[in-house]
Amino acid sequence: MTPSADILGKTGGHDWDLVGELAALVSGDTVIRRDVPLAKHTTLRLGGPAEVFAEPASEADLAALVNGCAVRGTPFFILGRGSNLIVRDGGVRGVVIHLAHPCFSRIEIDGARLRCGAGAKLKNVAVEAKRHDLSGLEFLEGIPGTVGGALRMNAGAMGAWTFDAVESFRFMNSRGEIHQRISGEVPVEYRACPLLITNIALGAVFRGTPLPREEIEKRMKAYSEKRWESQPAAPSAGCVFKNPAAIPAGKLVDELGLKGTRVGGAVVSAEHGNFIVNDGGATARDVLGLIALLQARVREARGIELETEVEIIGEDH
Ligand code: EPU
């Protein structure tokens, strides 16, 4: 049997101890478990379990896990805050790696620079910048993600995106080797840093600009008010679709009268047409059904192809 088939051991009836094998490669501080529900690790609050779920306790342990997966042909997925993620109801085969250990969430101030680990919450980055009278990171305040996720998808809000504020970043490749890049050297686009699709973001150096704290506070307050008045508080994965060039996706859905459209427990938000909320008990199947329905309606009415912005992973069954 090939190693890649081994990970399917549960369905194939083989008693192959992937957890035990991976645990043997890492320090005792790294947590590795089987069949961990992912719903509580996503802001949409739905989806099936991770076959194996690992929280490495250091970069060395992360490298060991990544190498261990590579040798066995086992797929792995790096989970951030799960705020831009739909996990299918059948869960995720292979290893889901969560950078939740404190060693990945450091935020260190160095003059006008903030050195941040991939696991640091964007809100904390914005707050630390404010505490040190550094402007330019206010837009991160309301994005419910981590630095790693924001780097990978070049997350944005309020007319700014992550790489506007990044000076350099570190990443690990699929062999566990660590590299660093100056942000200007690397192509980024609206909602993507292609280099970080196949490599793991480890952290970034953000650069702020000195500004009196009251000014920074004023901006953060304005952004937060705009968000609260235009976006839903119910569980969601943020904006579902990328904005097409012609018109913002939310406006399009709104104009077509599609707010409130429902499939099972998944509903198009009344507050913002580009959000699907979990109205309680929604399944990934409901959400994906609603996404397909919206895409079809928009295609018929306007001839526009709505492309998903959320990441969709896992198996249907
Ligand atoms: N609009 C409507 N109806 C709606 C929603 C929006 O008419 O239901 C109109 C608004 O009035 C505005 C325009 O559409 O004129 C754009 O709306 P908004 O300012 O809310 O911005 P957006 O383009 O829909 C983008 C990001 C958000 C980010 C906001 C705030 C994308 C796909 N979305 O939304 O990011 O929070 O700007 O800056 O680029 C996310 O990435 O998950 C996300 C939520």
Side-chain angles (χ1 to χ4, degrees):
M1 186 165 60
T2 63
S4 59
D6 277 345
I7 190 64
L8 308 178
K10 268 200 318 184
T11 43
H14 300 281
D15 187 23
W16 187 63
D17 183 14
L18 178 62
V19 169
E21 285 196 22
L22 292 177
L25 303 173
V26 295
S27 75
D29 293 332
T30 286
V31 177
I32 308 181
R33 286 178 291 148
R34 184 177 276 281
D35 277 333
V36 171
L38 290 175
K40 64 176 186 218
H41 289 286
T42 70
T43 55
L44 247 182
R45 302 273 158 210
L46 52 79
E51 185 170 18
V52 173
F53 187 84
E55 292 186 343
S58 64
E59 287 185 355
D61 280 0
L62 172 62
L65 287 174
V66 165
N67 272 317
C69 286
V71 166
R72 290 161 179 77
T74 300
F76 69 85
F77 175 79
I78 304 289
L79 175 72
R81 266 218 63 207
S83 58
N84 192 50
L85 187 65
I86 300 174
V87 177
R88 291 194 181 90
D89 300 314
V92 179
R93 291 202 186 128
V95 184
V96 171
I97 300 176
H98 191 211
L99 303 183
H101 190 277
C103 71
F104 292 104
S105 343
R106 289 194 195 112
I107 301 177
E108 290 159 7
I109 311 289
D110 174 8
R113 295 183 172 89
L114 293 94
R115 286 175 209 289
C116 305
K121 289 186 182 147
L122 297 173
K123 186 181 188 63
N124 295 346
V125 176
V127 167
E128 277 305 298
K130 183 182 76 174
R131 268 182 7 102
H132 291 82
D133 306 320
L134 294 171
S135 171
L137 300 164
E138 297 88 341
F139 72 100
L140 296 176
E141 186 268 346
I143 303 179
T146 58
V147 166
L151 289 168
R152 178 178 155 104
M153 66 163 305
N154 194 14
M158 309 299 157
W161 65 28
T162 301
F163 273 87
D164 290 339
V166 170
E167 190 174 81
S168 64
F169 62 100
R170 296 170 68 244
F171 61 91
M172 185 179 284
N173 68 17
S174 53
R175 290 179 301 283
E177 297 155 354
I178 295 175
H179 297 277
Q180 179 165 337
R181 290 278 186 284
I182 305 295
S183 69
E185 295 171 0
V186 176
V188 293
E189 50 202 68
Y190 169 64
R191 293 299 191 264
C193 172
L195 179 75
L196 296 176
I197 291 171
T198 47
N199 294 289
I200 303 167
L202 292 176
V205 176
F206 291 93
R207 198 179 174 94
T209 314
L211 194 73
R213 195 169 309 170
E214 310 79 71
E215 287 301 313
I216 298 171
E217 249 154 23
K218 224 186 279 174
R219 274 187 210 176
M220 277 169 88
K221 192 160 171 280
Y223 289 167
S224 160
E225 279 168 9
K226 184 187 171 199
R227 188 177 291 274
W228 281 110
E229 71 198 20
S230 63
Q231 299 185 2
S236 79
C239 283
V240 173
F241 301 109
K242 291 182 182 167
N243 279 340
I247 178 173
K251 189 169 187 194
L252 186 52
V253 169
D254 195 357
E255 281 183 3
L256 293 176
L258 295 168
K259 281 180 167 178
T261 307
R262 171 187 291 273
V263 173
V267 189
V268 179
S269 161
E271 283 97 346
H272 196 296
N274 200 4
F275 282 64
I276 289 177
V277 299
N278 180 352
D279 196 26
T283 61
R285 193 186 165 89
D286 294 340
V287 177
L288 295 172
L290 185 52
I291 287 175
L293 192 152
L294 294 174
Q295 286 171 320
R297 293 280 168 81
V298 165
R299 192 179 303 123
E300 284 156 21
R302 298 285 178 89
I304 295 174
E305 282 301 322
L306 280 181
E307 195 188 327
T308 47
E309 193 238 69
V310 287
E311 186 158 11
I312 303 165
I313 61 166
E315 314 291 321
D316 283 325
H317 306 289

